[in-house]
Amino acid sequence: MTGSDVSQDKFSKSFLILLALAISLIFVLMIRRFLVAILLAGIFSGMATPLYRFLLMRMRERQALAALSTILIVLLLIVIPVTAFLGVVASQAVNVSQSVGPWIEQRVGQPDELDRLLNRIPLYGWLGPYKDQIIAKVGDVASLTGGFLVNSVAAATRGTVTFLLNLFIMLYAMFFFLRDGKAILDKILYYIPLTPTEENQMVERFISVTRATIKGTLVIGIIQGGLAGLAFWVAGIGGPAFWGTVMAVLSIIPGVGAALVWVPAVVFLLATGEVVGGVLLAIWCAMVVGTVDNLLRPRLIGRDTKMSDLLVLLGTLGGILLFGAVGFVIGPIVAALFVTVWEIYGVTFKEHLPDTSLVTVVGGGGAKDRG
C-alpha cells in the first residue's frame, strides 16, 4: 500500500468516525425524551426475563406470544397498581401542601396556644429562646415544600399525554428486548472497542447493581414506607400514603432515612396532646421500621453492588434529581457504570499511572512524601 493509499484510508476512517458521531448525536437528540423509557424497558426486561423464559417453554418457543404475555402480566401486576397508588400519593400531596401552611400560620397567630403545645415536648426549655426563629424556618420549609408538591402535581397533570407516550414506548421496547435481547446486546457489544473481559465486566456490573437496587433499595424502601405509612394512618396523621412514599425514598439513607419523617411526626403528636399515639408511633417506628434495613439489607443485597453506601446514596439522590422518580433505580446503575469504567481505565493504563502504594500522608495535613 502506497503512502497516498494510507493517507486516503486514514481520511476515510476519520470521516466515517466523524459521520457516525454526528448522526448518532442527532439521533440521540431526536429521541432524548424517550431515553429514560428505553432504559427502563431494558431494566424491566432483564427483571422479567425469568418469567419470559418460563412462558416461552409453556408456549412451545413462540417468542412473540411469550413476550406479549410477559408484558401483559407486568402491566396488570405492576404498572397499573403503581400508577393508581401514585395517583393517591399525588392527591394526598396536594392536601398536605394546602394544610401545613395554614396550620403553621394559625399557631403562630396564637402564641399562648403555641407555647402550651410546645411545652409538652421534652427538652423544649433548651429551645425556648429560639422559638421565633424555629417557627419562621418551619413556616419557610412548609411553604417551599407545599409549593414544590403542588408544582410537581401540576406538572404531572400537564404531562399526562407524555407519560402515556413514554409508557407505550417502554412497553413496546420491552417486547423487542424480551424477544431479541441477546441479539441486541451482542450487536451493541460488537461496536464497543473493548476486550471481551472488559465488556463482560460492564455487563455483570450493570446486572448486579440492577438486581441489588431492585432487591435491596426498592424492596426495603417499600417495606419501610408501607409499615410507617400504616402507622401514620393508625395514628390519624393526614396523608399516610404520601408520607410513606417520602420515607420509602429516604430509606436509601441507612439507619436515619425514615426517621427524618417519623421523628417530627412523633413530636407533632406529643405537642398536640396525642401522647399515647406519639409514644406508640415512636416505639413502632424505632423497633420495627428502623430494624427492617438492618435485617433485610444484608440478605437482599449481599455483595451485589460492590459499591460504598456513600456512592449508592449519591447515585440515588442524583438520579432522582436528574431523572425524577425513576432515578431511584437509574441513579445507582449510572454510578456503578461510572466506577466500572474507571476500573477498566485503571487496568488499561496501569503502566502509565503512578504507584500509589509509595505515597504516604504526613500528619493528616495533606503533605505527601514518596518513598
Side-chain angles (χ1 to χ4, degrees):
M1 182 178 292
T2 64
S4 59
D5 292 335
V6 172
S7 299
Q8 179 65 31
D9 182 63
K10 289 183 178 179
F11 174 79
S12 298
K13 290 181 178 179
S14 300
F15 177 80
L16 181 59
I17 292 175
L18 292 175
L19 181 62
L21 291 176
I23 295 297
S24 299
L25 178 60
I26 295 174
F27 180 75
V28 170
L29 291 175
M30 184 174 64
I31 66 168
R32 66 186 183 280
R33 298 185 185 276
F34 309 124
L35 290 177
V36 173
I38 295 172
L39 181 57
L40 287 177
I43 294 172
F44 291 147
S45 297
M47 294 169 53
T49 296
L51 174 61
Y52 167 74
R53 290 175 178 171
F54 172 78
L55 294 176
L56 190 62
M57 290 188 298
R58 294 290 181 177
M59 296 178 179
R60 299 180 181 179
E61 301 299 322
R62 296 176 183 175
Q63 295 180 339
L65 183 59
L68 182 60
S69 300
T70 302
I71 292 173
L72 289 177
I73 293 174
V74 171
L75 185 63
L76 292 174
L77 296 183
I78 299 178
V79 176
I80 293 179
V82 169
T83 302
F85 176 76
L86 290 179
V88 173
V89 172
S91 176
Q92 293 189 2
V94 174
N95 294 333
V96 169
S97 65
Q98 292 177 346
S99 62
V100 171
W103 189 88
I104 293 291
E105 293 176 0
Q106 181 182 0
R107 294 304 182 272
V108 171
Q110 300 175 354
D112 294 338
E113 177 70 10
L114 183 65
D115 286 335
R116 185 181 65 82
L117 294 176
L118 295 178
N119 281 327
R120 296 175 178 174
I121 302 176
L123 305 179
Y124 171 68
W126 293 2
L127 304 176
Y130 309 100
K131 180 188 68 175
D132 294 338
Q133 294 90 329
I134 293 174
I135 293 174
K137 293 300 181 183
V138 170
D140 291 341
V141 171
S143 178
L144 292 174
T145 303
F148 173 76
L149 294 175
V150 171
N151 291 336
S152 298
V153 173
T157 302
R158 290 194 300 269
T160 300
V161 176
T162 302
F163 169 78
L164 293 176
L165 179 59
N166 280 313
L167 178 61
F168 171 77
I169 294 294
M170 185 190 76
L171 296 176
Y172 195 70
M174 280 185 63
F175 174 82
F176 290 98
F177 290 163
L178 287 170
R179 192 188 68 176
D180 309 318
K182 182 64 168 60
I184 294 173
L185 180 60
D186 289 343
K187 180 64 69 173
I188 293 173
L189 295 178
Y190 173 76
Y191 290 117
I192 297 179
L194 297 176
T195 65
T197 301
E198 294 168 343
E199 291 176 347
N200 288 332
Q201 185 179 355
M202 292 189 65
V203 173
E204 289 174 2
R205 181 62 65 90
F206 179 89
I207 294 174
S208 65
V209 173
T210 302
R211 182 170 56 242
T213 301
I214 299 300
K215 290 196 310 181
T217 307
L218 195 57
V219 172
I220 291 172
I222 291 174
I223 294 176
Q224 282 192 313
L227 291 174
L230 178 63
F232 274 41
W233 176 71
V234 173
I237 297 177
F242 166 72
W243 292 119
T245 303
V246 173
M247 284 184 277
V249 174
L250 292 176
S251 67
I252 60 175
I253 307 175
V256 299
L260 296 176
V261 175
W262 67 259
V263 169
V266 169
V267 173
F268 168 79
L269 291 176
L270 294 176
T272 53
E274 300 289 340
V275 178
V276 176
V279 172
L280 292 178
L281 180 63
I283 294 174
W284 173 264
C285 290
M287 301 299 294
V288 178
V289 177
T291 58
V292 167
D293 184 84
N294 296 330
L295 291 176
L296 295 184
R297 190 175 295 273
R299 292 177 173 82
L300 292 176
I301 297 180
R303 298 184 177 273
D304 269 345
T305 59
K306 298 179 182 178
M307 292 194 302
S308 67
D309 290 338
L310 175 61
L311 195 57
V312 173
L313 173 63
L314 294 177
T316 305
L317 293 179
I320 292 174
L321 293 175
L322 181 60
F323 300 107
V326 295
F328 196 77
V329 176
I330 297 177
I333 295 174
V334 174
L337 293 178
F338 167 79
V339 172
T340 304
V341 168
W342 279 104
E343 288 177 351
I344 294 174
Y345 172 89
V347 173
T348 303
F349 296 98
K350 182 178 181 180
E351 297 179 356
H352 306 282
L353 298 175
D355 184 1
T356 56
S357 63
L358 301 179
V359 178
T360 58
V361 179
V362 180
K368 298 180 179 180
D369 294 330
R370 290 185 181 271

